Amino acid sequence: MKIQVLKNETYQNGESLPKKGSERATGFDIVAISEPEVIGELNPNGSYKKIDYIQYKTNLKLAVRMEQSAWHGVPSTYTDYDILAFPRSSVSKYNLVLANCIGLVDADYRGEVLLRFKYIWQPEDYRIRTDNLLEGNINVDKIYKKGDKICQLKVTKV
């Protein structure tokens, strides 16, 4: 099995390529190459009425090559792989949760890997307006930023 990072013209350097955190790690750390993009609805004053998700770009286009295998007297077969995106354990320090719990990158997907997180509102994120309605603001200290490791990718046999 071999993971191939496909050519992406906007990729600047190898610093943000997936890397294992240690020799025995099974997942590859993924770095956000963009500032968080908040998708939601704003109030007229700029506070958030709702947040659908916060998206991060990775600038990664990946392919996992199939491998051919044969066993004693059994015809050759091909083994396919997919890639799973898991939240990092550090996510517990943030007001974020991976939007689809575990992301799946299918074996034939060739687009950019985008990661979406749900924002977990905290009481301190809100304030009561003069008309007794709530308005919320994101605690920017509790979300990932550009350059942060935001998830781990793990290759699995299909």
Side-chain angles (χ1 to χ4, degrees), residues 8-17 33 58-60 146:
N8 188 340
E9 291 75 20
T10 60
Y11 212 85
Q12 298 299 317
N13 59 47
E15 291 298 311
S16 300
L17 287 174
I33 60 98
T58 65
N59 217 3
L60 292 174
K146 182 178 179 178

Side-chain angles (χ1 to χ4, degrees), residues 38-152:
V38 181
I39 307 300
E41 192 176 330
L42 288 171
N43 288 313
N45 68 354
S47 66
Y48 283 95
K49 191 174 193 175
K50 72 174 192 156
I51 294 177
D52 295 325
Y53 57 86
I54 300 174
Q55 177 172 278
Y56 296 88
K57 293 185 177 185
T58 65
N59 217 3
L60 292 174
K61 295 180 180 179
L62 304 172
V64 181
R65 293 193 193 164
M66 291 190 303
E67 66 182 28
Q68 188 174 5
S69 59
W71 292 289
H72 309 283
V74 177
S76 290
T77 59
Y78 286 92
T79 302
D80 218 351
Y81 295 89
D82 60 19
I83 300 172
L84 299 176
F86 289 95
R88 291 176 43 85
S89 57
S90 66
V91 79
S92 62
K93 296 186 248 175
Y94 298 93
N95 294 349
L96 297 171
V97 63
L98 201 55
N100 50 354
C101 298
I102 296 172
L104 171 65
V105 181
D106 286 315
D108 60 348
Y109 178 72
R110 296 296 180 262
E112 181 180 3
V113 175
L114 300 171
L115 295 165
R116 293 179 176 172
F117 291 83
K118 292 286 188 182
Y119 185 75
I120 303 168
W121 292 98
Q122 301 298 313
E124 61 269 17
D125 296 336
Y126 292 104
R127 79 175 187 87
I128 299 174
R129 301 185 335 195
T130 55
D131 56 4
N132 282 338
L133 293 177
L134 287 177
E135 63 183 17
N137 286 299
I138 294 174
N139 182 344
V140 294
D141 294 329
K142 293 291 188 170
I143 62 172
Y144 291 124
K145 295 166 191 64
K146 182 178 179 178
D148 288 347
K149 295 176 187 174
I150 59 174
C151 85
Q152 291 186 6

